Amino acid sequence: TDILLTSDEDIVLAHDWYSSPLFLEAVPTKTEFKNSLIDSRFHSMDLDDLISFMLTHTDLYVLLDTKQGDGEIDEYEQLETLYQILYQRILSHEKGSDIIKRIILNIYDEKQLGIVSDIYEFKYIYTGYKRTFDPIDMALFCLENNIGIIEISPSLITKEVVDIFNNKNIAVYTYSINTLKEMNNFINMGVKGF
């Protein structure tokens, strides 16, 4: 689930602002976002909606990802604000200490990991697509930071790449698999998640 900050610094579930014709002019407020329909039919969600859903589905773990950064304000400054709000809002709920244990964050680099780690020790999946693909270096990053899962683009996965991670007890996940045949091919190479 992708999360973003609204212009009034609230968290909503959205991939980005710029692929929606509704928000090309400016980042919306939470109210503007919540009052808009996605594809003219789907209701949008915010962090409170996600927390409510997690309260009633106690076995649900959620992977959160963000593409925060608008070019005007430092991306990492925005990420720090987003993670602080995320942490405080979750813990403000009666069962927040249970919910926060079921939040997993996509981490892109060492700086982002440092920002998040200063706030709370979430569970992490390392997503290395923002850097040069070097499986050995990426495996070392995971080991040094106690990250047990890496997410890799399907186009970069080979048996040899998967073996590098699996030999270090780092599970390989991939994304946007659209057929059972593709999934079975990746499972046969040792990929653990989709």
Side-chain angles (χ1 to χ4, degrees):
T1 300
D2 293 315
I3 57 174
L4 291 172
L5 280 177
T6 59
S7 62
D8 52 347
E9 292 196 339
D10 214 321
I11 296 176
V12 295
L13 282 58
H15 183 265
D16 61 54
W17 299 126
Y18 311 107
S19 60
S20 169
L22 298 172
F23 308 120
L24 290 177
E25 298 297 316
V27 173
T29 64
K30 176 184 169 180
T31 301
E32 291 168 336
F33 179 77
K34 290 286 290 179
N35 288 336
S36 66
L37 292 177
I38 300 167
D39 288 334
S40 302
R41 58 189 168 150
F42 300 112
H43 292 276
S44 55
M45 292 179 68
D46 63 13
L47 182 59
D48 293 326
D49 298 323
L50 177 62
I51 290 169
S52 294
F53 190 80
M54 292 181 77
L55 285 170
T56 59
H57 297 82
T58 57
D59 60 344
L60 175 69
Y61 284 72
V62 176
L63 175 62
L64 297 180
D65 189 15
T66 184
K67 309 293 187 294
Q68 199 66 44
D70 64 10
E72 293 179 21
I73 301 173
D74 180 78
E75 174 184 6
Y76 295 104
E77 187 179 313
Q78 290 182 346
L79 284 171
E80 184 171 8
T81 300
L82 183 139
Y83 293 133
Q84 286 282 1
I85 293 168
L86 176 71
Y87 174 74
Q88 292 164 0
R89 291 277 296 290
I90 291 173
L91 287 185
S92 71
H93 286 265
E94 183 179 330
K95 302 228 182 215
S97 60
D98 171 60
I99 291 170
I100 204 157
K101 294 175 190 170
R102 297 185 284 129
I103 298 291
I104 305 163
L105 298 180
N106 256 349
I107 297 296
Y108 293 94
D109 58 41
E110 206 165 306
K111 188 170 181 177
Q112 182 185 13
L113 179 63
I115 290 168
V116 174
S117 296
D118 286 345
I119 297 168
Y120 180 78
E121 286 297 324
F122 290 91
K123 293 176 177 67
Y124 306 110
I125 290 180
Y126 178 48
T127 303
Y129 81 79
K130 286 190 173 183
R131 62 179 289 176
T132 303
F133 186 70
D134 180 340
I136 293 171
D137 186 52
M138 295 165 91
L140 289 174
F141 176 82
C142 289
L143 289 173
E144 290 169 0
N145 293 288
N146 199 28
I147 299 172
I149 300 172
I150 186 162
E151 184 179 55
I152 302 174
S153 167
S155 64
L156 298 173
I157 293 179
T158 64
K159 174 78 170 123
E160 294 76 21
V161 166
V162 174
D163 287 347
I164 288 169
F165 292 101
N166 284 344
N167 289 338
K168 297 184 180 340
N169 293 318
I170 301 165
V172 174
Y173 284 31
T174 194
Y175 45 88
S176 300
I177 302 305
N178 298 310
T179 69
L180 191 56
K181 181 180 179 184
E182 281 181 293
M183 187 178 82
N184 285 328
N185 285 339
F186 286 119
I187 289 171
N188 290 335
M189 282 191 256
V191 172
K192 306 290 187 208
F194 305 91

